[in-house]
Amino acid sequence: NLFKYLILSSDKKDLGIIKDCSLNICQIFGYTKSELIGNNINFLIPEILRTSHDKIMLKYFEQSKNKFYEELFNKYNYIPDFLDKHAYAISKSKFLVPIKIKAYFVQTEENEFVYIVEVTKMIDYEKDLENYEENELKCVVLTDENFFIQTFTPNCVNVLKLNDSFINANYNIMN
């Protein structure tokens, strides 16, 4: 299990810009390193969640300047377990990818402060689906506020008979 990481700028004016990533990240999302580096992390976030994600990034930026975190940082040279959560991202093929992320606020050897985000694709997610009861979650479909499909997890192709032509195609699930 090789380390899968993104390094994001923590500078307020460039907050969330991808500065580096592992090749394993490229495999998870289907992009080349050059397609990822220099872009804002938001292009991997489902569109409907981007505004909220910006607010979360800003909150963690402000929080990293907090005296408590400053003391932790001075003691350990990084802020441990700054963020640990399950989330969804968008692959280059526009499918929803269930992931687990852990973010750390660190200082590089060049005295630059960055976020290191460890990303784990929920590979067991599809295996776990086989064990669910009939009425439990089989796939995830993300819609906008008007119920138009934005994207979905790849297993929706089999479960709901959707295909990639439904992504961002003005298909309303309520009709």
Side-chain angles (χ1 to χ4, degrees):
N1 191 14
L2 300 172
F3 193 58
K4 301 161 195 83
Y5 69 88
L6 292 158
I7 297 178
L8 306 178
S9 170
S10 71
D11 184 31
K12 191 169 185 176
K13 68 178 176 56
D14 293 328
L15 191 61
I17 298 295
I18 300 170
K19 299 177 75 62
D20 195 12
C21 65
S22 68
L23 291 176
N24 297 314
I25 288 293
C26 298
Q27 290 175 333
I28 289 173
F29 298 114
Y31 289 99
T32 64
K33 244 181 142 166
S34 62
E35 289 173 310
L36 291 170
I37 295 173
N39 279 303
N40 190 292
I41 189 69
N42 269 350
F43 93 103
L44 294 174
I45 306 294
E47 188 174 337
I48 197 165
L49 303 176
R50 287 180 187 160
T51 302
S52 297
H53 186 259
D54 283 342
K55 290 176 184 172
I56 291 167
M57 288 282 295
L58 196 55
K59 173 187 163 203
Y60 282 106
F61 169 80
E62 298 297 335
Q63 197 173 21
S64 70
K65 306 300 181 204
N66 169 312
K67 185 173 176 61
F68 169 76
Y69 284 107
E70 190 176 304
E71 289 172 6
L72 260 180
F73 189 79
N74 290 333
K75 183 175 182 181
Y76 298 109
N77 203 30
Y78 75 99
I79 298 177
D81 298 333
F82 197 56
L83 176 68
D84 186 355
K85 65 183 282 183
H86 287 85
Y88 289 96
I90 300 288
S91 69
K92 187 174 184 176
S93 61
K94 303 299 179 205
F95 281 111
L96 206 54
V97 180
I99 58 174
K100 179 175 167 92
I101 59 173
K102 280 186 140 191
Y104 306 90
F105 186 65
V106 300
Q107 186 173 11
T108 66
E109 292 174 0
E110 296 82 26
N111 291 323
E112 181 181 18
F113 294 96
V114 296
Y115 296 103
I116 295 182
V117 182
E118 181 183 350
V119 179
T120 306
K121 184 177 179 185
M122 303 301 289
I123 295 170
D124 294 331
Y125 177 78
E126 283 147 4
K127 290 178 190 164
D128 288 345
L129 288 174
E130 296 169 7
N131 299 327
Y132 284 151
E133 301 269 336
E134 189 61 34
N135 294 329
E136 293 188 75
L137 178 68
K138 297 285 185 186
C139 64
V140 176
V141 177
L142 184 65
T143 69
D144 65 13
E145 62 277 0
N146 296 314
F147 303 105
F148 286 96
I149 293 176
Q150 297 296 301
T151 187
F152 46 83
T153 52
N155 53 320
C156 291
V157 172
N158 292 330
V159 175
L160 298 176
K161 306 301 181 219
L162 296 176
N163 61 50
D164 60 355
S165 68
F166 285 91
I167 296 174
N168 292 323
N170 290 329
Y171 183 82
N172 188 308
I173 63 169
M174 300 305 279
N175 290 337

